Amino acid sequence: MAVSRSWVCAVVLAALTAFGTTVPATASPSGGSDEPFVHVQCHGTESVTYHPGVTLAPRKIDITTDGRFGSCVDSQGKVTSGSYGERFTVFAGCNDLLDGFEDERTFTWNTGDTSVMKATGSSTAVAGQVVTTIKGTVTQGRFRGRTVVQVVTIPQPDLARCLTTGLTGATGVTTLAIT
């Protein structure tokens, strides 16, 4: 899979923060709210490992992500959990972790179905945390044509580690809404 440098940097940064953002409230199918009807709402964790560790000096880094949604609510009552995972190599350093990105992410659901999302994202540093927002559309599989918003919030890394062995991994919390 071809992965842009900015996608990797954002993933590295996102992996260094914890998801803690809520998704829009579910509106009634009869239109009782201005919020969009949520077809799926999930909460979970994402773990990322970097080998070798990310340092100030940019270098080639192998990145592995492992995302798990342990709690999902589906308007049809079928999707109760899901997961995603990626492996890729980038050339990055601690100074360019907030770059925007564009790529695809595949979610595998407890039903055996998958959803492929074409996504764009960006990260910001806020109050000692890195918040990454990923938005896109499901282009293949379950929920095709639906809008996806995933948010990751991870504590900002100990920048002193960028000067030594580097950042080698992180785990954060994630939320996902498919409308």
Side-chain angles (χ1 to χ4, degrees), residues 5 45 102 105 125-126 145 170:
R5 178 179 176 204
T45 60
E102 187 174 301
R105 174 166 279 178
V126 178

Side-chain angles (χ1 to χ4, degrees), residues 65-153:
T65 64
D66 180 26
R68 306 271 173 194
F69 296 113
S71 173
C72 294
V73 177
D74 173 5
S75 60
Q76 297 176 338
K78 295 180 181 179
V79 171
T80 58
S81 62
S83 63
Y84 59 94
E86 294 142 349
R87 298 183 99 163
F88 47 90
T89 301
V90 298
F91 189 81
C94 288
N95 286 331
D96 56 5
L97 294 178
L98 291 175
D99 291 349
F101 59 90
E102 187 174 301
D103 205 11
E104 287 186 348
R105 174 166 279 178
T106 301
F107 301 100
T108 302
W109 307 110
N110 63 288
T111 59
D113 298 315
T114 60
S115 297
V116 178
M117 170 181 66
K118 182 167 178 63
T120 59
S122 62
S123 300
T124 57
V126 178
Q129 300 180 80
V130 176
V131 178
T132 300
T133 302
I134 304 164
K135 296 180 180 181
T137 302
V138 176
T139 58
Q140 298 174 35
R142 188 177 198 102
F143 310 115
R144 183 180 175 151
R146 297 293 180 178
T147 301
V148 180
V149 177
Q150 184 177 11
V151 180
V152 180
T153 305

Side-chain angles (χ1 to χ4, degrees), residues 39-56:
H39 287 274
V40 179
Q41 183 172 343
C42 299
H43 298 273
T45 60
E46 177 176 296
S47 296
V48 180
T49 58
Y50 318 101
H51 183 76
V54 183
T55 61
L56 280 177

Side-chain angles (χ1 to χ4, degrees), residues 8-17 50 97-98 123-124 130 132 154 157:
V8 173
C9 293
V11 169
V12 169
L13 186 59
L16 299 174
T17 65
Y50 318 101
L97 294 178
L98 291 175
S123 300
T124 57
V130 176
T132 300
I154 298 174

